[in-house]
Amino acid sequence: MASAAAPILGVLGSCMGCMVFVENIAKQEPAAMNLMTFSTFLFISSIGLVFTSKFFTVKNQIPLEGYFKTVSMFFIVNVVNNQALNFHVPVPLHIIFRSGSLLATLILSVVIVGKSYSARKYISVFAITVGIVICTLATSSQGDSGLSMEEASKHYKEWSIGIAMLTFALLASAYLAICQQQMYEKYGKHPDEAMFITHFVSLPFFLVMGGDIVSASTKLSASAPYALIPGVPSLWVDLFASCVLQYGCIKYVYQLNSRVDSLTVTLVVTLRKFLSLIVSIVYFKNPFTAQHWVGALLVFAGTLAFADIWGGQPAKKQEEKKKQ
């Protein structure tokens, strides 16, 4: 377990740090979400181009056509998830919603792959679903104070769009996981190559957002200068930091997957999300009621129950048999 200490700390530190900078950007310039997504893809692609692909001199282990579905879904999931922050979806709810990935995974695994699960897993997912619904309803009743009826109506409509986007992204993310699993089963696991290709091949898709990205760049350039680096806009510093930390987050998750079992990965990722939630509430002073806490605890407890942490071992494979 000692060898896993570094990736565990790396996941907690880099992923949580990334969320802090992302939330800061989202609060100050919510229209910059496409720019943020593009910057992250460009940053990770650049590193992969130099160190993984070595400027395309290293032959791919997985043919490009094998990446088609994965790249498409990866791009959609990232863009939609980040863009939801532009529709009045608070980061705490965003974190809780994305923690419900097991719900979407179970649904699509049953429908598409034909798997079946134990009653305990269905109960766990039901708890996650109830938790997400509770948090969503609690959030829907906030944010309208001080607004005129017309403004409140507009706010609610935009918020509803954000929730719809998160719901879609949740299902798309689960389908992405299935696509990745099928790709790895066919071609083998090549995480560094996959990380590079999925980001690099997605870059041309951002051309359709060119105007929005340029506009957001102008707004970031007009932000107040960073205290420690005179003359450099603070939001550009935040954006760069989020890119670096996002890269670290992904790398450490890959490392963790290669060194520990899936149960430990689930525990670490769940802990990271919970701590990110606490940081968002405390540092950014996001409203979080008792109703939110009940929902959040249901989501996180359901996630841990699904992973069978109280059983002390990973779930048995026979719990996920294909239907006859």
Side-chain angles (χ1 to χ4, degrees):
M1 190 68 177
S3 63
I8 288 175
L9 293 175
V11 168
L12 295 177
S14 58
C15 296
M16 288 172 58
C18 178
M19 281 305 301
V20 170
F21 287 107
V22 167
E23 182 163 4
N24 193 48
I25 295 171
K27 282 185 174 295
Q28 295 190 53
E29 197 54 64
M33 293 302 99
N34 285 332
L35 170 62
M36 185 180 69
T37 309
F38 169 70
S39 300
T40 302
F41 275 56
L42 181 62
F43 182 83
I44 294 176
S45 296
S46 300
I47 292 179
L49 180 64
V50 176
F51 297 105
T52 302
S53 175
K54 300 186 187 304
F55 297 98
F56 304 112
T57 60
V58 176
K59 183 179 179 181
N60 286 347
Q61 300 298 311
I62 302 175
L64 286 179
E65 58 268 23
Y67 281 106
F68 179 74
K69 285 196 298 183
T70 300
V71 168
S72 302
M73 296 310 302
F74 184 76
F75 173 78
I76 291 171
V77 167
N78 277 273
V79 169
V80 174
N81 262 326
N82 287 337
Q83 192 61 27
L85 292 171
N86 194 25
F87 286 83
H88 310 299
V89 175
V91 169
L93 180 61
H94 195 275
I95 293 172
I96 292 169
F97 230 96
R98 294 183 69 177
S99 298
S101 57
L102 286 175
L103 164 64
T105 300
L106 183 142
I107 292 173
L108 292 191
S109 293
V110 171
V111 174
I112 297 178
V113 183
K115 288 185 176 181
S116 61
Y117 294 86
S118 67
R120 176 178 54 78
K121 290 190 180 292
Y122 284 107
I123 293 172
S124 300
V125 168
F126 177 74
I128 293 171
T129 306
V130 172
I132 291 174
V133 171
I134 289 174
C135 288
T136 303
L137 292 176
T139 305
S140 69
S141 62
Q142 297 177 338
D144 292 345
S145 58
L147 299 178
S148 66
M149 185 175 295
E150 183 178 348
E151 290 173 332
S153 176
K154 181 175 181 292
H155 183 281
Y156 181 76
K157 287 179 181 178
E158 291 177 347
W159 175 84
S160 298
I161 293 173
I163 295 300
M165 292 172 73
L166 284 181
T167 303
F168 170 79
L170 200 62
L171 292 170
S173 180
Y175 182 62
L176 169 63
I178 292 174
C179 292
Q180 289 174 323
Q181 181 181 350
Q182 292 174 340
M183 181 180 72
Y184 288 147
E185 287 175 352
K186 185 174 182 179
Y187 299 105
K189 290 187 176 182
H190 305 282
D192 288 338
E193 176 188 301
M195 185 166 70
F196 166 62
I197 294 295
T198 51
H199 286 85
F200 182 79
V201 176
S202 297
L203 289 177
F205 296 152
F206 286 99
L207 287 174
V208 298
M209 308 171 190
D212 180 73
I213 291 173
V214 171
S215 175
S217 299
T218 303
K219 293 178 180 178
L220 259 64
S221 297
S223 62
Y226 188 65
L228 299 179
I229 312 177
V232 178
S234 58
L235 288 184
W236 277 113
V237 176
D238 287 351
L239 183 63
F240 178 73
S242 72
C243 291
V244 173
L245 290 170
Q246 178 67 16
Y247 173 77
C249 178
I250 295 172
K251 285 289 290 185
Y252 281 122
V253 169
Y254 276 130
Q255 286 185 21
L256 194 62
N257 268 307
S258 67
R259 299 186 188 185
V260 299
D261 57 39
S262 59
L263 171 59
T264 304
V265 174
T266 300
L267 287 172
V268 172
V269 171
T270 302
L271 176 61
R272 187 269 295 176
K273 290 177 179 177
F274 186 76
L275 292 176
S276 294
L277 180 65
I278 299 298
V279 170
S280 179
I281 295 167
V282 175
Y283 184 75
F284 289 100
K285 297 180 173 57
N286 284 305
F288 211 73
T289 65
Q291 191 175 348
H292 283 100
W293 278 115
V294 170
L297 290 175
L298 279 172
V299 170
F300 290 118
T303 300
L304 297 178
F306 189 95
D308 195 23
I309 66 162
W310 295 285
Q313 58 182 2
K316 301 294 183 183
K317 288 184 179 180
Q318 55 261 37
E319 289 184 341
E320 299 181 358
K321 292 179 180 177
K322 288 188 176 181
K323 290 182 178 178
Q324 299 298 324

